[in-house]
Amino acid sequence: MKNVDLLVGAQWGDEGKGKVVDILGSEVDVFVRYQGGANAGHTVVVDGQKVVFHLLPSGMLYPGKLCVLGNGLVLDPEQFLNETSELYARGQDRARLAISPHAHVVMPYHKLLDKLQEEARGKGRKIGTTGRGIGPCYVDKYARSGLRVEDLIDPDVLRERLTYILDEKNQLITKLYNQKPLPFDEIYEPAKKWGEALAPYVADTRELLRRAVDEGQHILLEGAQAALLDIDHGTYPYVTSSSTSASGAFTGTGLAPNDLTRVISVVKAYTTRVGEGPFPTEDFGDDGEKLRQNGGEFGATTGRPRRCGWLDIPGLRYSMELNGANVIALTKLDVLTGMGGIKVCTSYDLDGEKITKWPTDTRKLAELKPNYEILPGWNEDITWCKKFEEMPANAQAYVKYIENALNVPVALIGVGPDRNQTINRGI
Ligand code: GDP
Ligand code: IMO
Ligand code: MG
């Protein structure tokens, strides 16, 4: 029997994917990251201790389990080495990581170009990227000018490919952006060392996962970012550069669509967005500020304040369809405590018409006016609740409202950041 769960974000990221992965972790054999890179920030809190994962799967805190970095990931070696050494300093077991030789490497020039491109876009056009070099690295992958992990670990291949690639980058850096060129040795020497450090982890991750799936091991594929940031289906151009919805899991690992047994969609009980781009239910008033403060809505990667607002049902329906969600993990319900009436967007007004569909046109998304239903709130603390029935009736009703509106069961509810602040409804 196959046992492969895919966990994906439903909104614009930061839904609490890290926490949900960690909760499921005790039952999981293999944890996998398969797209995106160190733009992700996945937080796990155990006994009040907070750990933020950027590149590594959020299952790294489970001793003895295997963690895989798949081919679809863009791997920043510096970040990888920092993150692993921080973990190892806590006494983590080294044998648990496998990296695909086909993962693309985020190089220093990708991070520089990310910054220069954002500056050049200027106000009104910038995307508000995390500055982690993600877009430029994926551009090189598709332009077939990238360096893969396997290139980094062979000094001769690295020298040969980097010579030609860096020459091209320096043309861009000097002629288009009027910056100083990057000297070859300043890039080559550290890259060679990164290759040496990565080499012990490199394995045929596709085959490794294939065998694990066929043996019935429990695999958890951990998506980064979220459906509305998808390069194809998100609010383009205000998106990230990878396939963040369910389909990215196949290209990013080499597993096949019929390997999947379940899609878990992580939905935050309200909505946040970090960076630029349309956000129909954004609240610019006191409520938005209250959500930000109560929810600690500041970026786990960049520290930027997150934009906050209400649940968007048409947007979530779109996201559920895109991901083929079987169950929802609803997070941060506790943050709505004491908010008074809880707004839920059920339709929009656009060009004098009422619509209930998520528009295909990003420009229209920026223009539409949300129509809200206001649901009754609650004031009782719910952070201690372990059972659904222990929550106040209005909190229960909010969860049921979401299930009905999206036609997907809510199998897990987050009522606080800690691992044990969770209501399990049979996930
Ligand atoms: P991710 O990128 O989807 O993994 O989410 P982040 O880690 O970037 O942001 C989620 C934040 O909310 C983190 O600070 C978590 O510790 C916190 N969090 C997760 N679930 C809950 C919850 O149910 N309640 C509260 N109050 N905080 C939560
Ligand atoms: P997790 O996995 C929230 C956003 C950036 C920016 C856009 C493009 O923690 O949910 P990029 O650096 O990827 O080119 O930036 O995408 N973004 C995220 N927002 N959570 C994330 O990851 C994000 N990763 C990228 O803010 O708007
Ligand atoms: Mg995050």
Side-chain angles (χ1 to χ4, degrees):
M1 272 275 281
K2 288 177 183 172
N3 191 1
V4 183
D5 282 335
L6 170 59
L7 179 139
V8 281
Q11 292 144 317
W12 279 290
D14 305 325
E15 293 85 359
K17 298 177 290 292
K19 181 190 162 179
V20 180
V21 168
D22 177 66
I23 292 164
L24 300 173
S26 59
E27 309 270 306
V28 170
D29 299 305
V30 187
F31 298 87
V32 188
R33 272 284 311 269
Y34 59 84
Q35 51 68 231
N39 49 348
H42 295 180
T43 314
V44 171
V45 183
V46 185
D47 298 332
Q49 289 263 47
K50 180 168 150 176
V51 185
V52 181
F53 294 102
H54 297 287
L55 263 179
L56 301 179
S58 304
M60 283 295 289
L61 295 179
Y62 282 96
K65 306 240 168 137
L66 179 65
C67 288
V68 172
L69 303 184
N71 59 278
L73 195 86
V74 288
L75 190 145
D76 177 342
E78 241 177 335
Q79 177 65 36
F80 173 85
L81 296 171
N82 286 341
E83 227 170 296
T84 44
S85 54
E86 269 174 38
L87 273 184
Y88 296 155
R90 293 164 170 259
Q92 293 284 321
D93 169 9
R94 268 170 194 264
R96 302 188 310 126
L97 261 171
I99 299 177
S100 167
H102 294 170
H104 276 252
V105 179
V106 179
M107 295 292 285
Y109 48 79
H110 291 132
K111 290 187 241 183
L112 176 63
L113 285 168
D114 194 352
K115 183 170 146 269
L116 294 172
Q117 283 167 359
E118 278 284 87
E119 281 167 11
R121 283 183 192 114
K123 208 170 174 311
R125 286 211 186 83
K126 75 178 168 82
I127 292 163
T129 70
T130 59
R132 299 296 180 109
I134 305 299
C137 185
Y138 276 114
V139 165
D140 275 359
K141 170 174 174 170
Y142 284 94
R144 292 153 293 178
S145 300
L147 286 170
R148 309 205 290 187
V149 168
E150 65 186 1
D151 301 327
L152 215 61
I153 61 183
D154 183 327
D156 295 332
V157 173
L158 176 63
R159 178 176 288 282
E160 198 269 318
R161 278 189 67 73
L162 188 64
T163 302
Y164 136 82
I165 291 167
L166 190 61
D167 186 48
E168 192 190 74
K169 296 300 166 206
N170 275 335
Q171 301 276 350
L172 257 180
I173 291 166
T174 56
K175 295 191 179 144
L176 189 60
Y177 295 110
N178 297 316
Q179 303 287 314
K180 285 200 204 105
L182 300 173
F184 181 85
D185 283 345
E186 282 182 25
I187 306 296
Y188 175 75
E189 292 301 332
K192 199 169 76 170
K193 291 209 174 68
W194 294 332
E196 285 163 17
L198 292 180
Y201 300 106
V202 176
D204 184 347
T205 54
R206 186 211 63 82
E207 190 188 37
L208 205 146
L209 289 172
R210 176 79 267 137
R211 300 291 160 258
V213 172
D214 293 342
E215 284 166 14
Q217 292 190 39
H218 188 179
I219 320 281
L220 179 56
L221 305 166
E222 175 180 357
Q225 292 82 48
L228 302 180
L229 285 171
D230 187 276
I231 186 72
D232 285 278
H233 304 289
T235 51
Y236 193 90
Y238 304 101
V239 292
T240 191
S241 297
S242 66
S243 294
T244 55
S245 52
S247 52
F250 311 115
T251 53
T253 58
L255 290 177
N258 62 358
D259 286 326
L260 263 200
T261 44
R262 188 166 65 151
V263 179
I264 302 165
S265 180
V266 186
V267 177
K268 196 183 286 193
Y270 49 97
T271 311
T272 61
R273 174 162 205 171
V274 59
E276 306 300 319
F279 177 1
T281 60
E282 183 166 11
D283 190 308
F284 297 96
D286 292 346
D287 281 345
E289 189 52 39
K290 209 166 161 188
L291 288 171
R292 187 173 308 114
Q293 295 307 330
N294 292 354
E297 295 296 356
F298 298 88
T301 299
T302 58
R304 292 178 289 179
R306 295 174 183 152
R307 300 155 65 191
C308 295
W310 304 102
L311 217 56
D312 186 325
I313 297 296
L316 281 173
R317 281 202 188 110
Y318 172 68
S319 163
M320 294 300 128
E321 287 183 8
L322 206 52
N323 288 326
N326 299 107
V327 291
I328 289 172
L330 184 70
T331 60
K332 305 191 89 162
L333 188 61
D334 55 300
V335 175
L336 293 178
T337 300
M339 284 302 294
I342 299 172
K343 288 175 159 181
V344 180
C345 167
T346 50
S347 66
Y348 318 108
D349 283 338
L350 179 65
D351 303 332
E353 246 184 87
K354 183 173 160 176
I355 57 165
T356 53
K357 174 183 160 353
W358 184 253
T360 55
D361 185 337
T362 302
R363 278 170 292 266
K364 296 277 182 212
L365 261 173
E367 288 166 20
L368 46 76
K369 298 264 172 302
N371 296 316
Y372 290 110
E373 206 169 303
I374 300 184
L375 305 181
W378 61 92
N379 292 314
E380 299 89 333
D381 175 30
I382 60 168
T383 56
W384 60 274
C385 297
K386 296 278 175 287
K387 293 200 180 90
F388 187 67
E389 296 71 26
E390 288 170 346
M391 294 201 300
N394 287 347
Q396 293 185 30
Y398 185 63
V399 175
K400 286 183 182 152
Y401 180 97
I402 294 169
E403 287 184 314
N404 284 334
L406 304 180
N407 202 19
V408 182
V410 171
L412 192 102
I413 302 168
V415 292
D418 209 273
R419 189 185 266 180
N420 63 23
Q421 291 178 306
T422 308
I423 296 174
N424 190 334
R425 298 176 85 204
I427 199 162

